[in-house]
Amino acid sequence: MNMRTLRHLHRTLSVALALLVVGCAQPERPPSAHRAPSPPTDCHARVGADRNMVLPGYLLPSASGATTCVPLLQSAYRAPAGYAGADFHVEEFTDAKLKARWRACKADAACFRRIDAQMQRWLPPNKERARRSTGLLDPSSAIDPEGQVDLRQIRRPAFFARPPYREAIAEAEPRTSTVEFSAPRDSFERLELRMTDTIRLRGWYIEGSGVDDGHGHKRRALVIMANGGGGQMTAIQHPDEQAYRIDPASGRAIALPFPNATTETMGQRWWRDTLHVLNAAGFDVLAYDRRGEGISGGFSDTNTLEQGEDVFRILEHMESGDGLRLLTPDGRLLEGRAAGGRLLAGMKARQIPLLLAGYSRGSMSMAWAMTRNFVEACSHDLPTVRCGPPKGYRNIKGAILLASFAAGAGYVPDAPDLADRNLFAAGMAAEHHIVFYPSAETLAGMDHWPAAFFGKGLWDRAESLEGTVAAYDRIRGLKEIVVARGPHAIETWDPADIRHLQARIAAFATAAVNGAPTVPGASTWTDLRSLVATTPDRWEATSRP
């Protein structure tokens, strides 16, 4: 080989190497925003549902003119003095570090017994916490979610027009298709239970009229909505039902058991109202029961990582028709190719503007979906964790996270009943292939998300208020937080706070789809105290001073 050939080969290799480096280089993620420290709390107050605790808070003016102590749940974990890392709440709470702590616990007999007992109570079918109650009070709507279902048996919006329900969602009947999607078993079902068949996810697709772009035109857009743990989208809730009662002897808030004589599952009424608010704002809305819940199939209801992947399966099914059945508003049953393209406003799955909305456990699944789309797709529920490239749906405009867990394991609230949450979560992933509570991976990637909305109660057990602020601070685009003087369960909030939350969700979703730089009417605040001060003088009933 002559010298000229060698020089040419050297130049060719150099160019190829440079291109390889450019192609593989990943932009550095900016560190999370660092707010000035919030003022220390200056009072204490007792709350009822669902904590029954005395919590720290801030003294704030009330409607009467006097000051009131407004309490909040704070974080259990603080960066130690002199911490040398960039972000304690991310770096020390990754999937790998949580699993390492679990291995140490597993080697300690007492620790293992304590956490394993908790895991055994939660392992699917988890009947203690996830009873399928849809259809118990009206047998005409009872289905076998694992069987071949007649979609005409599934309750539709018109069902809720009847007294005593008279729900606003009934108005959407002429625009609603009942939908059924196919999905594989999750990792627990496949690896531990040797289940290999297909399950079905069911719900409603409600067509919208288009979102006002502010310039006299309409833009079709879709919100995909995942309910909370135990949530059953078509379950009956009596309008006068309450979630808690006050024990006269102790003064404690006691959760009422469901189902009962008038209500199948608590909390579904406000959820259906939220679907209606978004649809009335012009959005197409897809709402379904997550796997293992309500009218959807599946033995396991707790793998939120798998539930995040379901979002992309559903989008593909709506476009192609593969694995899709639907009952149209005019009563036709369509399947496969005949159903493909009937939804999504005639657009492709990667074309229609999308927002992903989740409540409580649904917030976990949607946070994983956002992570898989914008950051990377990792198999945290398998013995060997492998990561692939992000899904790359550019039409996902943001997330709506209600009673959110998405700030991850570093922001567990400071409460005795939550002390083992991270060991429990790591044990479930390592031993049973179930990713339940998110690790720090969801928070770490939020700087890649285009927009996010957060709605939460001040003493929400999902994550501390500081965690929600940390998540908010990582979002570089459109963002908003709405808080209320209440707990994790939004159905327990003052009705005016629920209506305010729904109005803000619609305003955020509209702004996100239209590419607005800010959300009109959003509250302004600078620190934890001023955020708490954005709450009106309204309280969850068992916590009212």
Side-chain angles (χ1 to χ4, degrees), residues 51-79:
R51 299 288 81 200
N52 288 306
M53 293 172 61
V54 174
L55 297 174
Y58 291 109
L59 278 172
L60 298 170
S62 68
S64 67
T67 57
T68 301
C69 185
V70 182
L72 67 152
L73 264 179
Q74 295 183 301
S75 295
Y77 304 118
R78 306 280 175 184

Side-chain angles (χ1 to χ4, degrees), residues 216-371:
H217 301 95
K218 299 274 190 175
R219 175 184 288 115
R220 292 290 289 277
L222 170 62
V223 184
I224 302 179
M225 304 186 70
N227 206 340
Q232 302 180 47
M233 192 191 75
T234 60
I236 291 171
Q237 179 187 328
H238 193 282
D240 298 331
E241 194 60 77
Q242 299 295 318
Y244 289 86
R245 67 175 179 85
I246 296 292
D247 178 62
S250 66
R252 293 173 62 85
I254 307 296
L256 295 170
F258 297 98
N260 62 18
T262 61
T263 293
E264 292 173 341
T265 299
M266 189 63 184
Q268 304 318 290
R269 187 181 179 92
W270 89 268
W271 185 244
R272 288 187 291 265
D273 282 347
T274 304
L275 311 187
H276 183 257
V277 167
L278 282 164
N279 186 239
F283 287 91
D284 287 27
V285 176
L286 170 63
Y288 59 94
D289 284 342
R290 291 171 299 101
R291 53 176 63 223
E293 303 270 20
I295 57 175
S296 289
F299 188 76
S300 172
D301 66 313
T302 43
N303 191 333
T304 61
L305 182 70
E306 189 75 56
Q307 292 162 11
E309 183 64 24
D310 285 339
V311 170
F312 303 101
R313 295 177 178 125
I314 286 169
L315 285 166
E316 291 166 5
H317 291 339
M318 285 192 288
E319 180 176 322
S320 69
D322 293 340
L324 170 63
R325 286 201 305 147
L326 63 86
L327 176 67
T328 66
D330 59 2
R332 287 175 295 149
L333 283 167
L334 302 177
E335 185 172 0
R337 287 188 177 182
R342 300 284 307 202
L343 308 173
L344 299 175
M347 289 181 263
K348 301 292 187 183
R350 290 180 177 267
Q351 183 183 16
I352 186 170
L354 294 168
L355 287 157
L356 306 184
Y359 168 46
S360 186
R361 198 177 304 174
S363 78
M364 304 184 212
S365 62
M366 290 312 193
W368 282 122
M370 294 291 286
T371 302

Side-chain angles (χ1 to χ4, degrees), residues 99-120:
K99 286 175 179 172
R101 289 174 198 145
W102 162 248
R103 289 192 293 272
C105 173
K106 190 177 178 181
D108 180 308
C111 183
F112 175 78
R113 282 195 302 270
R114 186 178 79 251
I115 305 303
D116 185 59
Q118 297 176 36
M119 291 193 291
Q120 295 305 318

